[in-house]
Amino acid sequence: ADSLLHPASIFSVVEAKRLEIEFDQAVLERIRLDLAGGLLPAGTGISINISGMSIVTPQITDKLLALSEFLGRYKLVIEVTETSLITQISHASANLNRLRKAGFIIALDDFGSGYSSLRYLSTMPVDVIKFDISMVHCLNGEDRQRVIVENLAKLISAAGFKLVAEGIESRETLARVTALGFTHAQGFYLGRPERLKR
């Protein structure tokens, strides 16, 4: 097929067949080949989503550490979900700390979509918090929801984390998250997925 596959099209199959580790290994090998082939401009970077099952698997950590040879030319971000960290926090934290020491940036993905408490957040070995699209949409909602998300963003930013707003689809929302101190944003307003030019 020559069409672009979106994550929703394949993740349900990967999870149903329990192929998370094999899938992540294949993705990491493709990333290694693309970086080695110079397909990304130097000075840019790539964010790598890692499943909860994989983040506690030694062979995945080793494959990620093997990418550290590219850290001089690229910014490499490892994205994990809060659920994957909370369920096996000691193993996940140990692996993520190894990756941080090697120079990777660790991002907590989809913050607000799960049930983590601020106590967990303060102990997770992450550098970046990515606010889930549902949280960002609350900024356009009723007063109580908006006030909670605004103050949560200010609190987390004051604790020293970089903030990413997911699901930016308008100039107004971008202006709102920028005013709140979000350092990065992603969404269709800023760009759509594109095929890598090989």
Side-chain angles (χ1 to χ4, degrees):
D2 198 32
S3 61
L4 186 65
L5 288 174
H6 294 276
S9 306
I10 54 175
F11 284 163
S12 57
V13 175
V14 169
E15 289 173 5
K17 300 285 186 183
R18 308 303 298 163
L19 296 171
E20 291 96 332
I21 294 170
E22 292 83 355
F23 180 80
D24 286 346
Q25 285 177 319
V27 168
L28 291 174
E29 179 59 16
R30 181 74 258 167
I31 289 169
R32 187 190 67 75
L33 292 170
D34 289 348
L35 292 172
L39 295 180
L40 293 172
T44 63
I46 189 165
S47 290
I48 307 166
N49 286 83
I50 298 296
S51 70
M53 193 176 292
S54 290
I55 201 58
V56 295
T57 304
Q59 55 264 43
I60 294 295
T61 304
D62 291 343
K63 262 195 171 309
L64 284 164
L65 286 169
L67 296 177
S68 62
E69 68 176 287
F70 302 107
L71 284 168
R73 288 179 285 156
Y74 302 103
K75 184 183 291 187
L76 300 178
V77 180
I78 310 300
E79 295 189 16
V80 292
T81 61
E82 56 185 305
T83 307
S84 68
L85 281 180
I86 291 168
T87 55
Q88 299 190 55
I89 194 162
S90 62
H91 284 94
S93 293
N95 289 341
L96 291 175
N97 278 322
R98 285 179 64 202
L99 292 162
R100 285 177 89 195
K101 285 179 185 163
F104 291 85
I105 297 168
I106 309 300
L108 183 64
D109 195 19
D110 298 331
F111 177 75
S113 63
Y115 300 98
S116 72
S117 69
L118 292 178
R119 181 177 63 84
Y120 276 119
L121 181 60
S122 67
T123 61
M124 291 176 180
V126 298
D127 308 294
V128 177
I129 308 294
K130 296 183 70 177
F131 272 53
D132 184 69
I133 188 171
S134 62
M135 297 277 279
V136 173
H137 284 175
C138 286
L139 294 171
N140 301 319
E142 60 186 63
D143 287 346
R144 181 178 282 180
Q145 289 178 325
R146 189 183 72 251
V147 168
I148 289 171
V149 174
E150 285 175 350
N151 284 289
L152 189 56
K154 290 174 187 172
L155 175 72
I156 293 171
S157 179
F161 294 99
K162 291 191 182 324
L163 300 184
V164 178
E166 298 179 342
I168 301 300
E169 297 173 358
S170 70
R171 182 188 340 223
E172 294 75 27
T173 306
L174 180 60
R176 191 167 285 132
V177 298
T178 301
L180 284 173
F182 281 79
T183 53
H184 297 78
Q186 68 183 60
F188 289 155
Y189 176 71
L190 302 167
R192 293 189 174 266
E194 292 183 21
R195 183 181 300 280
L196 184 62
K197 310 259 189 299
R198 297 194 190 281

